[in-house]
Amino acid sequence: MRPLSPSDQLFLWLEKRQQPMHVGGLQLFSFPDNAPDDYVAQLASQLREYLRVTPPFNQRLTYKLGQPHWVTDEHLDLEHHFRFEALPTPGRVRELLAFVSAEHSHLMDRERPMWEVHLIEGLQDRQFALYTKVHHSLVDGVSAMRMVTRMLSQDPAENGMPPIWAMPPRERASRDDGGPSLWRSVSHLLGTSGKQLGTIPTVAKELLKTVNQARKDPAYDSIFHAPRSVLNQKITGSRRFAAQSYCLKRIRKVCEAYGTTVNDVVTAMCASALRTYLMNQDALPEKPLVAMVPVSLRRDDSDGGNQVGVILANLHTDEPNAGERLVKIHQGMEEAKDRYRHMSPEEIINYTALTLAPAAFHLLTGMAPNWQTFNVVISNVPGPKETCYWNGAKLEGMYPVSIAMDRLALNMTLTSYKDQVEFGLIGCRRTLPSLQRMLDGLEEGLADLEAAAGL
Amino acid sequence: MRPLSPSDQLFLWLEKRQQPMHVGGLQLFSFPDNAPDDYVAQLASQLREYLRVTPPFNQRLTYKLGQPHWVTDEHLDLEHHFRFEALPTPGRVRELLAFVSAEHSHLMDRERPMWEVHLIEGLQDRQFALYTKVHHSLVDGVSAMRMVTRMLSQDPAENGMPPIWAMPPRERASRDDGGPSLWRSVSHLLGTSGKQLGTIPTVAKELLKTVNQARKDPAYDSIFHAPRSVLNQKITGSRRFAAQSYCLKRIRKVCEAYGTTVNDVVTAMCASALRTYLMNQDALPEKPLVAMVPVSLRRDDSDGGNQVGVILANLHTDEPNAGERLVKIHQGMEEAKDRYRHMSPEEIINYTALTLAPAAFHLLTGMAPNWQTFNVVISNVPGPKETCYWNGAKLEGMYPVSIAMDRLALNMTLTSYKDQVEFGLIGCRRTLPSLQRMLDGLEEGLADLEAAAGL
């Protein structure tokens, strides 16, 4: 039995009926060569044999003196956690995304280890999918992505590879050296204020005081410029998940033409998609939208572990020209990175804290502050560069499924795999109707940049 | 906009993460003759066209001065409510029951009209299924069953029949003249005490006082005899659904042999199944289990509407001989009915109230009283006697999916259809492991009775 860390407790505490706090991943595989038609059903039978569940997947919540602890589940029922399912006719990606949308909307059973793996048959073209769902208090998004990658092999001939719940566990120490994430930042923020979750009203009051002081300070003026938008409303309990792969080569060519980074182009694609989506709803704010982009601030002199920072990326959604928009986004990102380069570690903490404070204040108190530092979260989680296989089945794509929250109704998370950039958009289905149209917006955004660059 | 009745509010109020308060029904159909292989997919497309949703299926919750009201949902998203889904290979009833078990465990989105219809393809033998899920505050179990029946026709040639959400609505007055149910009884109990839900502590205190007085009264002694059992523990959030049809002719022959009613034999089958299940877990209480059986007490002199009563049926699970057990159950049921026959309306209210009081007390306060009046709910909802069709597809079976609650971890609901008795068992998956084995117990119970009668 071990107690949950304060940040892991936070995910339990923030969870509401309409705001589940689990993360997910969708992996798309093609059948191995010569696989029989009932390959996925056979795979399901094989996976049901992995009854020895390893940490953290055998850990369930329990309460001791009112404090949450992890304890080994002695009655683990694999049938509850591993589910074999099927898509309806005609088994396109559309049906797959509808499946994930529905499943990602459901809360998990807190009386059991909070994970589920759904093996999905019925896809067209001899493909199948795995949708993995883990509560953020058990495994964070970055670690989950790393586990999912560790499950795979670059050798198509390798066999007998266990599923994620039966892999030999890694040392716990490695848990925190993943990439940056919103949640690492938020828990860092709450951590630096030196308070436990028991004193949330105190933390919230402190946040409010700090923010009100900073708003008067011209040095922090740039932080408080996000407009109000439909993205920043209360959410409901049902989700829409949309996912697509985009060709890294095309993105790289745009980078070369404009002298920007891949991340800049990807951010510009998101900006385009948001602009078009909101314009079609007659809901584009006059002032440009601001994205919160978690970044890693590793320095040579750092004593191990990652310093996590956040960049407030002005998305220049008021700029009609796609090329101009990319150039401006690039300049803003460079300035932000530059600003970080000249900051002391204390200044970085202050800056990050102020950036997150309004969102954290809202999450902790449920009250909407009358300032907004960002409208949307765009995160980039690194993925494998080589072609991967799982028991001979080739991984065709992998898409992160993140968390939508009150006042942050959309989360755009992307990862990279081989020559692809993989987007996963998760949002509240009611606040953001037909959000799957943003996939077309991403593609159009890229095409506009290619056209503007004469590619 | 209209306010929810106190009893409908009760279902919102009782709902917890691990105790969803929706009811469901599973209908199994066979394809019409000459239907193409993609019949179910075509049906799904047709059903998606029924965009005009009729009351109560277009009503969502809203709050006005803190009180829940129903209001028409102006942004109804049919894709959220009507879902086309598929079973994995090999598409047996087992996969169908696993599907319903998982779906019935999920809370519904309270920001939308609280109903879902799942059209399920992928069953063997040219069959398909409909699983309908409705929040108990929107439609009660008996009314839901009646709606589902009203959707059907006895004419295999009839076509263009709308789905349940698009049927012309019936007069609201008809809502309360259905069969008896646990919930009608509980809300009646709360209603007779003349209190609103706002004063739950008062109601609970009154309940407790009444019960403590009655326990000293020899006239009510018979009420307080249920033993403690594993059926009466706290539940978790995941469900197991098990369902099966049993031949009414076989049951009728046993009735004739023993001179009992169909209901007696069905109750005896439940008793057998519970006895075997608990014995296998080494958890059969020494004292016999007691079932709460809601009954209709229609009298000639009644001024319309049904008086609902409850019978506490001693299941004689301590009796090893199946025939003896049936005879004793029959005698007990007759005595209970006889007792009602000699009661004044006031006495009936008193008796019913006392029977339900410990369960209601627990539901209202979350505290476990140290007496138990019954261990399990066995309800019988009347169903259609003739073969039914839906747009030419023949209804093969229909199974009620009810509610499991804290301290009532199992609910056995049955209905009749043609020459079948249809059992639907819903229970907490953790409290009652492998509860699907009770289906074999029901069959064995019937076979034992046949053997004992020399049939």
Side-chain angles (χ1 to χ4, degrees), chain A residues 365-397:
Chain A
T365 64
M367 288 188 282
N370 56 3
W371 12 256
Q372 183 93 28
T373 53
F374 54 89
N375 303 101
V376 61
V377 180
I378 303 179
S379 338
N380 194 337
V381 185
K385 290 191 174 65
E386 307 297 326
T387 304
C388 291
Y389 297 86
W390 185 46
N391 293 308
K394 186 172 155 195
L395 180 71
E396 300 289 351

Side-chain angles (χ1 to χ4, degrees), chain A residues 142-163:
Chain A
V142 175
S143 306
M145 182 64 89
R146 197 173 317 104
M147 280 176 172
V148 158
T149 309
R150 199 155 65 85
M151 190 181 93
L152 306 168
S153 158
Q154 291 172 30
D155 179 3
E158 192 172 336
N159 256 299
M161 295 162 71

Side-chain angles (χ1 to χ4, degrees), chain A residues 332-396:
Chain A
M333 297 286 262
E334 290 304 306
E335 280 165 25
K337 286 179 203 163
D338 218 52
R339 196 181 306 134
Y340 270 120
R341 249 171 243 129
H342 293 98
M343 280 185 193
S344 69
E346 289 72 30
E347 283 169 330
I348 289 177
I349 289 172
N350 265 344
Y351 182 83
T352 308
L354 280 174
T355 307
L356 296 172
F361 176 79
H362 172 68
L363 287 172
L364 294 179
T365 64
M367 288 188 282
N370 56 3
W371 12 256
Q372 183 93 28
T373 53
F374 54 89
N375 303 101
V376 61
V377 180
I378 303 179
S379 338
N380 194 337
V381 185
K385 290 191 174 65
E386 307 297 326
T387 304
C388 291
Y389 297 86
W390 185 46
N391 293 308
K394 186 172 155 195
L395 180 71
E396 300 289 351

Side-chain angles (χ1 to χ4, degrees), chain A residues 256-321:
Chain A
E256 284 160 22
Y258 282 91
T260 69
T261 67
V262 166
N263 213 38
D264 295 339
V265 175
V266 159
T267 308
M269 286 167 67
C270 292
S272 273
L274 285 165
R275 179 181 149 85
T276 311
Y277 177 82
L278 293 177
M279 270 174 52
N280 286 342
Q281 284 190 43
D282 207 15
L284 182 68
E286 273 183 44
K287 282 173 67 183
L289 293 175
V290 177
M292 193 280 245
V293 183
V295 286
S296 168
L297 300 172
R298 193 187 291 274
R299 292 184 185 197
D300 292 342
D301 58 350
S302 83
D303 52 338
N306 274 4
Q307 176 76 47
V308 170
V310 293
I311 284 182
L312 290 180
N314 183 323
L315 295 179
H316 296 282
T317 41
D318 54 339
E319 166 61 60
N321 181 287

Side-chain angles (χ1 to χ4, degrees), chain B residues 292-314:
Chain B
M292 192 279 243
V293 183
V295 288
S296 168
L297 300 173
R298 193 186 291 273
R299 291 183 185 199
D300 293 340
D301 57 348
S302 80
D303 52 340
N306 272 3
Q307 175 76 48
V308 171
V310 293
I311 285 184
L312 291 179
N314 184 324

